[in-house]
């Protein structure tokens, strides 16, 4: 597909924007939309009623993003930063400065487990997603361990509203000559609905203004199947998923070569809801799942002839999960939610380290098991018609076992975390909120037991004495929405302690000496604490006369790390970042709807402390244009086309120190047909 074709399509969209006056009689008038329903409180609730900062990305926004991954869909959400660690195909997100390992990723409320030191990947195709809900701030009371930074809940598509609906689509991305093809068949027959979908995608090396990053390509493919029953009071569904990913890792060090030939996820889950049980029980919910994530990671280090080190880690993580919840109406003006969660993670890991002289070769195997059992309760009390107080707590019991090269281990930990929130809606079109919550993250199996050799260092050793990471976050916010002007503002402060990081081994330290072999090795330790101050702003204004909507998504953040040696604000956190733009919409009587979106994406500089040196990446601003149209042939047949030109002026920059150099001028195009 030629760049000229995409450029011509974008030119046509711009022409429509300039001719807006000729179509004023066909334009959409502002609609009075109801509040967006979210699951921040583990149940349906409008944005006006929440006590937390919540962002919702709906299916239309996902389609318009022309994104090759879920992370790119979330890039412009206030408080979110993308992290790829040199791997274009394996992007993660940071929420409010917290690394991916301190955030929970859910698919339909079920967790994607991860026991690396990096955090979970979004192993799901964007085309399968109905909407994404991002709950920012600690979610450890309602959504389990790991939720210091926040919770991302991905709600997937279910059956269409007719017996058979077929969707076929494709997309192209010039930044890596990437192509995607997907298809889905879905429908509803009587009380049953179903959906089957598949996707195949390939991305080549990333193209930057200064040249290609070799190697940095990736391949992925997925297949999902869903079947559900929707009765008057009972709902039951099952879902099977398979996602396969292979990705290269780009390294600026010639002697290092990395490869991720496998990161595959297989899952089967069930969901059951029983509503309106009796006058005291409004709903009962139960879901469970089996999930397997297979991972192969290869690292080759050439030090100089004849010295070479080849490391390969082959691991299989199997997870059994069970969640239960009851929504109770025990007292007037109270909604009480009680529930439990049981997650068992079993990690079978083999490490094959082959080296030439003078390094010894090793083959090590471990089987580790982590079981987390927890129970929670939350009460929503409507003190008045406009004032709601929400409070809750969760008790954790964690049991850890290991057999193998890292030692025979059998121990446990327990903790209690709580949260308190308040919401006031007594002012016209305004809702006010405040929230105080605790976060809890238990160390991963790699951190506290297995360690890792997939690094430039010789070994990073696990540490059995690691403490869980904990945090406290205070937050206040306000939301205004009159159907024309929408503004959401949230301010927060987080104080976290016992952060886990890796440090060089000191054999003069008795703890280090008992674990490390040499001073070239590293060890996971609790060393950091962090304080974060932030302000998040999202707003838009509909100008009905011209069908224009200016908008802004802004993040202001300061983040401080403290170690025994230093205190620093150099934490790879920009002071200001965001997106500013204006959209133009059209709606025509022949069924065509179109839009254009001109925006800038920007960030102030990033700085990070590495030893005694400060790494710095300059701030940037890019100009971008997106647009598209949809055409409804009739009630059953639809055509959708979306396109974008990103980084129009071909600027060379890095979005952050933890991302690859950004692509140069990029042309994107997606098209789908529904019939």
């Amino acid at each position: 597909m030629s760049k000229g074709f995409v450029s011509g399509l974008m030119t046509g969209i711009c022409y429509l924007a300039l001719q807006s006056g000729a179509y004023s009689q066909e334009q959409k008038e502002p609609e009075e939309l109801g509040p967006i329903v979210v699951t921040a409180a583990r149940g349906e609730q409008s944005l006006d009623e929440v006590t937390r900062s919540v962002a919702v990305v709906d299916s239309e926004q996902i389609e318009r993003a022309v994104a090759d991954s879920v992370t790119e869909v979330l890039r412009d959400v206030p408080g979110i930063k993308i992290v790829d660690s040199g791997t274009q195909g394996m992007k993660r997100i940071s929420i409010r400065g917290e690394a991916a390992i301190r955030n929970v990723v859910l698919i339909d409320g079920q967790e994607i487990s991860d026991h690396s030191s990096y955090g979970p990947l979004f192993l799901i195709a964007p085309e399968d997603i109905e909407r994404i809900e991002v709950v920012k701030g600690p979610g450890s009371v309602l959504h389990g361990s790991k939720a210091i930074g926040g919770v991302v809940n991905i709600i997937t598509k279910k059956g269409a509203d007719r017996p058979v609906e077929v969707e076929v689509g494709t997309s192209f991305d010039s930044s890596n000559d990437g192509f995607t093809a997907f298809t889905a068949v879905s429908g509803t027959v009587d009380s049953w609905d179903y959906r089957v979908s598949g996707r195949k995608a390939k991305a080549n090396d990333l193209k930057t203004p200064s040249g290609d990053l070799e190697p940095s390509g990736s391949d992925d493919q997925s297949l999902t199947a869903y079947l559900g029953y929707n009765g008057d009071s009972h709902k039951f569904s099952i879902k099977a998923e398979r996602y396969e990913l292979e990705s290269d890792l780009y390294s600026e060090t010639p002697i290092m070569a990395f490869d991720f030939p496998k990161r595959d996820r297989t899952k089967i889950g069930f969901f059951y809801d029983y509503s309106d049980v009796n006058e005291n029980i409004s709903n009962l919910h139960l879901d469970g799942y089996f999930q397997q994530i297979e991972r192969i990671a290869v690292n080759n280090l050439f030090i100089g002839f004849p010295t070479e080190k080849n490391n390969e880690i082959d691991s299989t993580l199997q997870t059994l999960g069970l969640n239960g919840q009851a929504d109770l109406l025990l007292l007037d003006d109270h909604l009480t939610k009680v529930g439990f969660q049981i997650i068992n993670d079993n990690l079978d890991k083999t490490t094959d380290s082959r080296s030439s002289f003078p390094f010894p070769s090793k083959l090590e195997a471990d089987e580790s098991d982590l079981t987390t059992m927890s129970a929670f309760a939350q009460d929503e009390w409507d003190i008045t018609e406009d004032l709601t107080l929400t409070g809750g707590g969760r008790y954790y019991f964690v049991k850890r076992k290991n057999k193998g090269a890292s030692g025979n281990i059998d121990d446990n930990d327990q903790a209690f975390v709580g949260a308190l929130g308040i919401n006031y809606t007594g002012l016209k079109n305004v809702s006010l909120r405040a929230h105080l919550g605790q976060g809890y993250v238990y160390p991963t199996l790699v951190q506290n037991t297995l360690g890792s050799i997939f690094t430039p260092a010789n070994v990073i050793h696990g540490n059995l004495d690691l403490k869980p990471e904990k945090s406290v976050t205070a937050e206040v916010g306000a939301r205004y929405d009159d159907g024309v002007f929408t503004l959401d503002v949230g301010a927060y402060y987080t104080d976290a302690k016992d952060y886990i990081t890796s440090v060089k081994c000191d054999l003069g330290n008795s703890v280090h000496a008992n674990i490390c072999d040499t001073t070239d090795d590293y060890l996971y330790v609790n060393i950091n604490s962090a304080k974060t101050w932030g302000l998040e702003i999202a707003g838009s204004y509909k100008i009905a006369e011209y069908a224009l909507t200016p908008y802004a998504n802004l993040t202001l953040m300061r983040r401080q790390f403290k170690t025994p040696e230093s205190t620093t604000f150099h934490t790879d956190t920009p002071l200001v970042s965001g997106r500013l733009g204006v959209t133009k919409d059209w709606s025509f009587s022949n069924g065509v709807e179109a839009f254009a979106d001109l925006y800038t994406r920007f960030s102030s500089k990033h700085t990070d402390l590495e030893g005694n040196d400060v790494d710095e990446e300059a701030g940037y601003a890019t100009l971008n244009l997106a647009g598209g149209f949809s055409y409804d042939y009739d009630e059953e047949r639809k055509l959708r086309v979306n396109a974008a030109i990103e980084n129009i002026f071909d600027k060379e920059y890095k979005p952050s120190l933890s991302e690859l150099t950004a692509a140069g001028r990029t042309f994107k195009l997606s098209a789908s047909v529904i019939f």
Side-chain angles (χ1 to χ4, degrees):
M1 183 176 299
S2 70
K3 294 182 179 180
F5 174 79
V6 182
S7 180
L9 179 63
M10 296 305 302
T11 302
I13 293 171
C14 293
Y15 175 78
L16 286 174
L18 294 173
Q19 299 298 317
S20 61
Y23 303 102
S24 60
Q25 71 274 16
E26 303 287 354
Q27 294 167 359
K28 292 181 180 178
E29 293 299 324
E31 300 175 1
E32 291 294 332
L33 299 177
I36 300 173
V37 174
V38 297
T39 55
R42 291 187 67 95
E44 292 187 350
Q45 195 178 45
S46 77
L47 280 178
D48 294 332
E49 298 170 334
V50 299
T51 62
R52 312 276 300 281
S53 288
V54 180
V56 179
V57 183
D58 60 28
S59 58
E60 181 179 71
Q61 292 171 294
I62 295 171
E63 290 172 3
R64 290 184 172 187
V66 199
D68 59 356
S69 67
V70 178
T71 51
E72 288 300 323
V73 174
L74 297 173
R75 181 179 288 275
D76 297 312
V77 173
I80 283 184
K81 183 180 76 172
I82 308 299
V83 178
D84 62 30
S85 300
T87 313
Q88 180 189 189
M90 298 175 63
K91 298 175 182 176
R92 298 170 171 86
I93 65 168
S94 163
I95 303 178
R96 290 183 170 177
E98 302 294 353
I101 198 172
R102 302 183 184 101
N103 303 312
V104 170
V105 176
L106 309 173
I107 298 179
D108 295 319
Q110 297 177 336
E111 183 179 336
I112 297 181
S113 294
D114 184 272
H115 279 278
S116 70
S117 57
Y118 299 100
L121 291 166
F122 291 85
L123 301 176
I124 183 173
E127 295 84 3
D128 286 327
I129 299 173
E130 179 65 29
R131 72 180 188 275
I132 305 171
E133 302 170 358
V134 182
V135 184
K136 291 172 277 189
S140 296
V141 169
L142 290 182
H143 298 286
S145 176
K146 308 179 188 70
I148 281 184
V151 179
V152 179
N153 190 17
I154 298 171
I155 292 89
T156 60
K157 294 178 179 178
K158 308 300 189 293
D161 58 3
R162 51 190 166 112
V164 179
E165 179 178 279
V166 179
E167 181 176 7
V168 179
T170 186
S171 65
F172 168 75
D173 185 337
S174 72
S175 69
N176 50 32
D177 289 334
F179 277 93
T180 299
F182 71 93
T183 186
V185 180
S186 61
T188 298
V189 179
D190 297 327
S191 298
W192 295 86
D193 68 323
Y194 67 92
R195 188 174 192 271
V196 178
S197 66
R199 161 187 158 116
K200 175 70 176 177
K202 179 177 179 60
N204 297 302
D205 294 336
L206 187 65
K207 301 177 182 180
T208 74
S210 59
D212 295 356
L213 303 184
E214 300 179 2
S216 59
S218 65
D219 293 87
D220 70 81
Q221 56 188 5
S222 65
L223 182 65
T224 66
Y226 159 87
L227 178 66
Y229 171 79
N230 299 282
D232 293 336
S233 298
H234 299 273
K235 294 183 179 181
F236 177 80
S237 62
I238 56 174
K239 186 173 184 181
E241 304 171 64
R242 174 68 176 175
Y243 188 95
E244 299 178 353
L245 171 65
E246 178 181 352
S247 183
D248 296 319
L249 187 150
Y250 173 74
S251 173
E252 296 180 353
T253 305
I255 65 172
M256 298 290 296
F258 298 86
D259 187 24
F260 297 95
K262 177 184 281 190
R263 181 63 67 91
D264 301 343
R265 183 175 74 93
T266 304
K267 177 185 171 185
I268 183 167
F270 77 87
F271 306 83
Y272 172 72
D273 282 276
Y274 179 16
S275 59
D276 301 322
V277 180
N278 56 44
E279 62 181 8
N280 297 123
I281 304 176
S282 64
N283 193 74
L284 293 174
H285 173 84
L286 183 69
D287 72 75
Y289 61 98
F290 168 79
Q291 182 172 254
Q292 179 170 288
I293 297 178
E294 300 168 274
R295 175 177 179 260
I296 296 178
V298 179
N299 163 224
N300 300 315
L301 173 62
F302 182 73
I303 301 174
F305 183 81
T307 304
E308 185 175 351
K309 298 182 69 177
N310 301 300
N311 301 322
E312 179 175 320
I313 297 176
D314 190 339
S315 65
T316 300
L317 174 62
Q318 294 184 336
T319 301
L320 286 170
L322 186 65
N323 300 291
Q325 180 176 320
D327 296 353
L328 309 176
L329 304 172
L330 303 178
L331 300 172
D332 291 343
D333 303 318
H334 287 260
L335 172 59
T336 304
K337 300 174 183 179
V338 296
F340 69 89
Q341 181 184 63
I342 302 172
I343 296 180
N344 173 255
D345 291 325
N346 182 272
L347 181 61
D348 191 353
K349 176 184 174 185
T350 300
T351 301
D352 187 359
S353 180
R354 300 181 182 182
S355 305
S356 58
F357 182 82
F359 302 105
S361 297
K362 292 191 296 182
L363 179 64
E364 299 179 339
D366 284 279
E367 182 178 354
S368 294
D369 189 273
L370 188 72
T371 300
T372 304
M373 295 177 285
S374 60
F376 67 88
Q378 177 174 283
D379 184 72
E380 299 172 19
W381 176 23
D382 293 332
I383 301 173
T384 69
E385 184 179 351
D386 303 319
L387 184 64
T388 301
L389 180 66
T390 302
R394 190 179 193 114
Y395 170 76
Y396 290 92
F397 180 80
V398 183
K399 188 172 181 61
R400 174 184 56 171
K401 293 182 179 180
N402 186 78
K403 293 180 180 179
S406 298
N408 295 325
I409 302 160
D410 189 345
D411 61 11
N412 60 75
D413 185 66
Q414 53 188 327
F416 179 84
V417 296
L420 184 67
I422 192 167
N423 177 276
Y424 179 70
T425 57
L427 303 174
K428 184 179 180 181
N429 301 322
V430 175
S431 61
L432 305 175
R433 62 181 185 269
H435 189 266
L436 181 67
Q438 294 176 300
Y440 172 83
V441 179
Y442 191 77
T444 69
L445 291 171
V446 165
Q447 291 173 333
N448 65 16
T449 306
L450 302 177
S452 176
I453 63 168
F454 192 67
T455 65
N458 287 344
V459 176
I460 302 180
H461 294 278
N463 186 349
L464 298 177
D465 296 324
L466 288 177
K467 302 175 185 177
E469 300 175 328
K470 297 180 180 180
S471 71
V472 177
T473 297
E475 176 182 333
V476 293
R479 178 178 176 81
Y480 178 87
D481 188 353
D482 63 4
V484 175
F485 178 52
T486 301
L487 179 65
D488 192 291
V489 180
Y492 63 91
Y493 167 73
T494 297
D495 189 354
K497 64 178 182 178
D498 293 327
Y499 269 18
I500 297 171
T501 188
S502 58
V503 299
K504 260 202 165 184
C505 291
D506 178 7
L507 297 185
N509 182 310
S510 59
V511 174
H512 291 211
N514 289 333
I515 300 174
C516 301
D517 298 321
T518 73
T519 55
D520 291 327
D521 291 352
Y522 284 70
L523 176 68
Y524 287 113
V525 296
N526 294 104
I527 193 170
N528 290 341
S529 63
K531 299 181 187 295
T532 309
W533 301 260
L535 180 67
E536 297 161 350
I537 303 171
S540 64
Y541 182 77
K542 298 178 181 179
I543 305 174
E545 182 179 359
Y546 302 104
L548 293 171
T549 305
Y551 65 89
N553 296 324
L554 301 173
T555 301
L556 290 83
M557 191 187 310
R558 289 280 281 166
R559 186 163 169 82
Q560 181 192 72
F561 280 168
K562 185 175 182 180
T563 70
E565 291 79 25
S566 65
T567 299
T568 181
F569 281 98
H570 299 300
T571 57
D572 196 15
T573 303
L575 177 62
V576 182
S577 61
R579 171 171 169 166
L580 299 175
V582 58
T583 61
K584 168 70 178 176
D585 292 283
W586 300 267
S587 181
F588 304 99
S589 58
N590 62 356
V592 174
E593 295 187 356
F595 82 96
D597 183 1
L598 182 66
Y599 65 93
T600 179
R601 185 179 282 143
F602 60 91
S603 172
S604 59
K605 69 178 181 180
H606 293 69
T607 59
D608 196 19
L609 185 64
E610 291 290 340
N612 295 321
D613 300 322
V614 176
D615 293 339
E616 180 174 327
E617 191 65 40
Y620 69 90
T622 63
L623 184 64
N624 315 271
L625 176 65
F629 69 89
S630 64
Y631 175 48
D632 294 352
Y633 294 93
D634 50 39
E635 292 183 357
E636 296 185 349
R637 296 179 297 172
K638 300 177 182 179
L639 170 66
R640 297 169 180 160
V641 177
N642 291 292
I645 304 177
E646 297 181 350
N647 194 6
I648 292 174
F649 296 117
D650 202 30
K651 181 180 179 63
E652 183 168 3
Y653 70 99
K654 290 186 71 171
S656 72
L657 289 166
S658 48
E659 271 195 89
L660 291 168
T661 300
R665 185 183 300 110
T666 298
F667 302 87
K668 296 182 177 182
L669 179 65
S670 69
S672 65
V673 177
I674 297 176
F675 55 92

